[in-house]
Amino acid sequence: MFAYAQETRYIIKDPRTPRRKTPVGLIREKSNVILRQLLWTRRPFVAEFTDAKGNEIFTVRRPFRWINSSIYAEVDGKEVGVVHSRWHLWRRNYDLYLGNKQFAVVENPGFWSWSFALFDEDDNLVAIIDRKVRGVGWECMQHFTNASQYEVRFGDAGKGTDKVFCFAKDMDNDLRVFLPLDLPERAVALALAVSLDHDCFSRRRLGWYVCAPLVSGLLSQLICFEK
């Protein structure tokens, strides 16, 4: 069966208002159709984050990767931050930078751990990106459509979570972080969420549709996106 790689499309929703059908924003990939078929998840692309009216908020740019990936967050054509993956045999490691300064790191233990906690240089929790499990039916559909669901939590200022327990605990809505990220840092964190989808969870399947809720303070305190 022929598999055709499509451009990624995300619909951003606010999980605080689940009955609202109108999205609060969109994410649209722009990439070359030939490179998509040849390179698949290694392909270069640009994705635009827009509000519901189509006004651009920022863009992310992901160059071709061979082993390690990078993704850049840009506002008005100017780079504000970047995420670089760091190779490990089984761990999923990422370094997040704002300009030339690193502000967070992700060291996911790999295998079946689908939560990616962001820690600052003092090991304080600042955000969590979590791939949600939506039941057997959705997980089976993911093998054919790449349908997945993600959640990004920036939380409220307060006492951080101990690093030992962050991957095992239930990610509820009252997540407390040591210090909230500012808007440019959150843009870089959202760029990481897009990169994780391609690095860790997208596969070569027939068609492409992803449902991905994101919790963000960029458009609202709690937002979702579907691809």
Side-chain angles (χ1 to χ4, degrees), residues 126-220:
V126 294
I128 290 176
I129 302 174
D130 187 36
R131 183 185 185 275
K132 306 294 288 184
V133 178
R134 303 188 66 187
V136 176
W138 274 96
E139 293 306 312
C140 290
M141 187 176 69
Q142 195 272 341
H143 289 278
F144 297 96
T145 65
N146 274 332
S148 301
Q149 186 178 64
Y150 303 90
E151 191 171 71
V152 177
R153 300 184 183 275
F154 295 118
D156 299 317
K159 186 177 180 180
T161 303
D162 186 81
K163 190 173 183 178
V164 175
F165 302 104
C166 69
F167 296 108
K169 66 170 289 190
D170 180 42
M171 305 305 178
D172 50 29
N173 287 324
D174 60 353
L175 175 69
R176 308 293 288 181
V177 297
F178 181 78
L179 185 65
L181 299 177
D182 59 27
L183 291 182
E185 290 171 335
R186 293 185 181 199
V188 177
L190 291 178
L192 169 61
V194 174
S195 199
L196 286 173
D197 181 37
H198 288 77
D199 287 347
C200 305
F201 302 110
S202 291
R203 295 293 182 267
R204 185 166 178 158
R205 305 295 183 196
L206 181 64
W208 191 326
Y209 179 83
V210 171
C211 172
L214 283 182
V215 179
S216 162
L218 201 62
L219 299 177
S220 61

